[in-house]
Amino acid sequence: MTYPIQTATGQTDRYPSRIGSEPSVLERQDPIVYGRAEDGPLDSARLTLYEKEGFLSLESFFSTDEIQAYLDELARLRDSRSECRAPEAIIEPDSGELRSIFAIHKHNAVLRRLCMHPRLVAIARQLLGGPVYIHQSRINYKSGFRGREFYWHSDFETWHVEDGLPAMRTLSCSVSLTPNTEHNGPLMVIPGSHRKYVACVGETPEAHYVASLRRQEYGVPDEDSLGRLVAEGGIVAPKGSAGSVTFFDCNLMHGSNSNITPLPRSNVFIVFNSVDNRPQAPFCGLPPRPPFIAEREDFRPVGD
Amino acid sequence: MTYPIQTATGQTDRYPSRIGSEPSVLERQDPIVYGRAEDGPLDSARLTLYEKEGFLSLESFFSTDEIQAYLDELARLRDSRSECRAPEAIIEPDSGELRSIFAIHKHNAVLRRLCMHPRLVAIARQLLGGPVYIHQSRINYKSGFRGREFYWHSDFETWHVEDGLPAMRTLSCSVSLTPNTEHNGPLMVIPGSHRKYVACVGETPEAHYVASLRRQEYGVPDEDSLGRLVAEGGIVAPKGSAGSVTFFDCNLMHGSNSNITPLPRSNVFIVFNSVDNRPQAPFCGLPPRPPFIAEREDFRPVGD
């Protein structure tokens, strides 16, 4: 495949996916770290690590007391029938339990504080080289006993194809509300995979996001490419106590196994996007996903 | 619940399960280690550890060359359509891939050598205090990318209720054919759980083993009991290279998470039972499961 390509709607697509019948692996076209060590708060060693591996884990970023307030809010949400029936709530396909609630930075005063926390925003601004807004936020419950796996994926592949983010100038921040152990289905990443773009096969069905948030079927990377990425970079599962934070690049391949332990693996997930990387029309040519999954209107920088 | 109880068929049942509407936790009525250190090969420190934790992991038990021969045989079996159609072959419900093949000590010359390996049998004899035969054997493929989880269970619960093993004088031996890492869905055990018997709720439907070997629905321990066992004993996942071996008591609570990594987690599983603990009629009152799952005829000791 040669790229960039021109889409049917006249867009220039530097990261085409879901258009061929064979998977392919393209080189990343964008920087990884946009800011400088002088901008702080991350020093140059940490910036270099993020650049190389595609993620950065910071232990004890939040105190136990701060985390407890967010956990209490999660418990309240989980037990609230009205919250679980909201369109922003995603339910586990088998058990009917709460899996995620989206757009928590808009609808929940307690969790908004966390999503816009100045210490998180400062790191996002440094890595992305300027003002950022929240493209997506959610709380993942990942219950004990019946927590389902999340298969390998690059977030950017979906955000590009389905939401229209043009460039890799976006990152995720995962805040652990419970301990991440080797047993309770922790986030697993493939270091270095953010430098390659795995173009997936198939097409994007209309309004498939309702099912895909529960169980992924489109934008799934092929096994050969995954095998090669793991052979090169290995697999790392950042572990730590509640209050640890992991920043990772939008194109880093990641996933998690199921969780049969009694220990939930709950986290808050915030996606910061550069204000200079506003979404265009989705590159798949379909209508965009709803705003609780992908912001399209409010690009006001957070932290200003 | 008071026990032992008398079953409808007049058996004395010291470990009743699947008869009440509430789960209950009973004390173990049988020894854990039946033999002595003088009998060898395990020294008294290792016997004490097995007694306390309910399992024992031995790294580099088999050489790389020995393991390669078994891996080659697994690859041959996986690619053989006739082998995969045999009644002893269990297929993953979603992907249609090979999950397990049972009774390998009867039907496969290469794997029979492993199942009857004198070094394995010697340890089984010591732990169970005398001659043993093979109650069950299987090879678990647990493929990469799509390996499903095995939910928590005590093997003894099923072997007692459905196969009629009267006492806890049985153990499993898991031989790793591939590395067990923290990422590829390794066996997880709850140390100390072998001292408690979690009686499960519900009943046993007839011939349900066909489905239960793919996905467990009966004999499932309740979440409260599991939570208490984990609170007391924690969770341990014995890890190691190919060729490591884990012995574990028939009543040890164990399970494993899914495996989305490219790395398969294949192992051979052999169940040794004391010749003095031959199966009776199943305690659920139903016909016994087929002999490829639970031996009922050939009690000749192995290793003699």
Side-chain angles (χ1 to χ4, degrees):
Chain A
M1 193 186 299
T2 56
Y3 57 102
I5 64 165
Q6 295 296 117
T7 69
T9 52
Q11 287 170 289
T12 300
D13 187 353
R14 297 180 306 145
Y15 297 111
S17 183
R18 310 190 201 175
I19 54 172
S21 58
E22 293 292 327
S24 60
V25 178
L26 314 176
E27 293 297 319
R28 183 187 183 107
Q29 305 291 305
D30 296 301
I32 297 159
V33 173
Y34 287 77
R36 303 162 309 169
E38 304 89 275
D39 305 330
L42 299 178
D43 61 19
S44 70
R46 283 187 157 156
L47 290 183
T48 304
L49 193 62
Y50 184 90
E51 172 110 21
K52 176 168 178 269
E53 311 243 283
F55 73 101
L56 188 64
S57 254
L58 303 169
E59 176 69 9
S60 305
F61 194 89
F62 291 111
S63 73
T64 312
D65 286 352
E66 282 175 288
I67 292 299
Q68 190 57 52
Y70 305 129
L71 272 175
D72 292 345
E73 186 62 12
L74 171 59
R76 194 189 67 75
L77 290 169
R78 196 188 58 212
D79 297 338
S80 158
R81 285 184 160 249
S82 59
E83 297 278 0
C84 289
R85 274 202 301 263
E88 295 84 6
I90 312 300
I91 305 300
E92 296 270 8
D94 295 338
S95 66
E97 288 202 8
L98 181 65
R99 178 175 173 122
S100 308
I101 299 182
F102 278 77
I104 51 173
H105 70 291
K106 291 185 175 177
H107 301 305
N108 186 291
V110 175
L111 298 173
R112 177 165 42 230
R113 281 210 316 273
L114 176 57
C115 294
M116 304 200 171
H117 199 290
R119 292 175 63 213
L120 298 180
V121 173
I123 293 176
R125 288 176 67 114
Q126 183 185 17
L127 289 169
L128 300 179
V132 297
Y133 70 95
I134 296 181
H135 174 70
Q136 181 190 96
S137 71
R138 63 177 192 263
I139 188 162
N140 291 321
Y141 178 50
K142 191 129 181 175
S143 70
F145 298 112
R146 292 175 305 281
R148 293 292 303 260
E149 70 228 30
F150 286 76
Y151 195 69
W152 299 110
H153 61 288
S154 151
D155 290 323
F156 179 76
E157 196 273 347
T158 295
W159 298 341
H160 177 72
V161 172
E162 300 191 25
D163 300 337
L165 292 196
M168 296 180 182
R169 196 169 179 178
T170 317
L171 60 75
S172 292
C173 170
S174 171
V175 179
S176 299
L177 303 184
T178 53
N180 289 324
T181 77
E182 66 180 86
H183 304 127
N184 66 345
L187 172 75
M188 298 189 291
V189 306
I190 305 178
S193 58
H194 59 307
R195 297 170 176 277
K196 306 282 183 185
Y197 179 71
V198 180
C200 305
V201 300
E203 54 182 344
T204 309
E206 207 156 342
H208 85 101
Y209 70 88
V210 178
S212 81
L213 294 176
R214 297 166 154 215
R215 194 174 280 164
Q216 211 172 348
E217 289 182 57
Y218 305 94
V220 177
D222 65 291
E223 295 181 3
D224 283 352
S225 301
L226 286 171
R228 276 194 295 272
L229 291 175
V230 169
E232 284 168 24
I235 294 173
V236 170
K239 289 175 287 291
S241 51
S244 62
V245 170
T246 300
F247 288 88
F248 60 99
D249 180 81
C250 59
N251 189 44
L252 189 71
M253 201 61 82
H254 64 287
S256 58
N257 282 319
S258 62
N259 176 21
I260 68 166
T261 78
L263 315 162
R265 212 262 299 167
S266 307
N267 67 328
V268 164
F269 205 80
I270 312 135
V271 180
F272 295 105
N273 188 31
S274 166
V275 295
D276 295 330
N277 191 37
R278 291 186 185 193
Q280 305 179 0
F283 287 82
C284 59
L286 290 175
R289 300 193 296 175
F292 73 84
I293 304 178
E295 183 59 58
R296 305 192 74 80
E297 288 176 3
D298 183 358
F299 305 116
R300 283 175 299 173
V302 290
D304 275 356
Chain B
M1 192 186 300
T2 56
Y3 57 101
I5 64 165
Q6 294 297 117
T7 69
T9 53
Q11 287 170 288
T12 299
D13 187 354
R14 299 180 305 143
Y15 296 110
S17 183
R18 308 189 202 176
I19 55 172
S21 59
E22 293 292 326
S24 57
V25 178
L26 314 176
E27 293 298 318
R28 183 185 183 109
Q29 306 290 305
D30 296 300
I32 298 158
V33 173
Y34 287 78
R36 303 163 308 168
E38 305 89 275
D39 304 331
L42 299 179
D43 60 21
S44 70
R46 282 187 157 155
L47 291 183
T48 303
L49 192 63
Y50 184 89
E51 173 111 21
K52 176 168 178 271
E53 310 243 284
F55 72 99
L56 188 64
S57 254
L58 304 169
E59 176 69 4
S60 304
F61 195 90
F62 290 111
S63 73
T64 312
D65 286 351
E66 283 174 289
I67 291 299
Q68 190 56 51
Y70 306 129
L71 271 176
D72 292 345
E73 187 62 12
L74 171 59
R76 195 189 66 76
L77 291 169
R78 195 188 58 212
D79 297 339
S80 158
R81 285 184 160 251
S82 59
E83 297 279 0
C84 289
R85 275 202 301 264
E88 295 84 6
I90 312 299
I91 306 300
E92 296 272 6
D94 294 337
S95 65
E97 287 202 8
L98 181 65
R99 178 176 173 120
S100 308
I101 299 181
F102 278 77
I104 52 173
H105 69 291
K106 291 185 175 176
H107 302 305
N108 186 291
V110 176
L111 298 173
R112 175 164 45 231
R113 281 211 316 272
L114 176 57
C115 294
M116 305 199 168
H117 199 289
R119 293 175 62 214
L120 297 180
V121 173
I123 293 176
R125 287 177 67 115
Q126 183 185 18
L127 289 169
L128 299 179
V132 297
Y133 71 95
I134 295 180
H135 173 72
Q136 180 190 96
S137 70
R138 65 176 191 263
I139 188 162
N140 290 322
Y141 178 50
K142 191 133 182 172
S143 69
F145 299 112
R146 291 174 305 283
R148 291 294 302 259
E149 70 228 32
F150 286 75
Y151 195 68
W152 298 111
H153 61 286
S154 150
D155 290 325
F156 179 76
E157 196 272 350
T158 296
W159 298 341
H160 178 71
V161 172
E162 301 191 24
D163 300 338
L165 293 196
M168 295 179 184
R169 196 171 179 177
T170 318
L171 61 76
S172 292
C173 170
S174 171
V175 179
S176 299
L177 302 184
T178 53
N180 288 323
T181 77
E182 65 179 88
H183 304 128
N184 66 345
L187 173 74
M188 298 189 291
V189 306
I190 304 178
S193 59
H194 60 307
R195 297 170 177 278
K196 307 281 183 186
Y197 179 70
V198 180
C200 305
V201 300
E203 54 182 346
T204 310
E206 206 155 342
H208 84 103
Y209 69 89
V210 178
S212 81
L213 294 176
R214 296 167 154 213
R215 194 176 281 164
Q216 213 172 346
E217 288 182 57
Y218 304 94
V220 176
D222 65 291
E223 294 182 4
D224 282 351
S225 301
L226 286 171
R228 276 194 294 272
L229 291 174
V230 170
E232 284 168 24
I235 295 173
V236 170
K239 288 175 286 291
S241 51
S244 62
V245 170
T246 299
F247 288 88
F248 60 100
D249 179 82
C250 59
N251 189 44
L252 189 71
M253 201 63 82
H254 63 287
S256 58
N257 282 320
S258 62
N259 176 21
I260 66 166
T261 79
L263 316 162
R265 213 262 298 166
S266 307
N267 67 327
V268 164
F269 205 79
I270 312 135
V271 180
F272 295 105
N273 189 31
S274 166
V275 296
D276 295 330
N277 191 39
R278 290 185 187 197
Q280 304 179 0
F283 287 83
C284 59
L286 291 174
R289 300 193 296 174
F292 72 85
I293 304 178
E295 183 60 57
R296 305 192 73 81
E297 287 176 3
D298 183 357
F299 305 115
R300 284 175 299 174
V302 289
D304 274 357

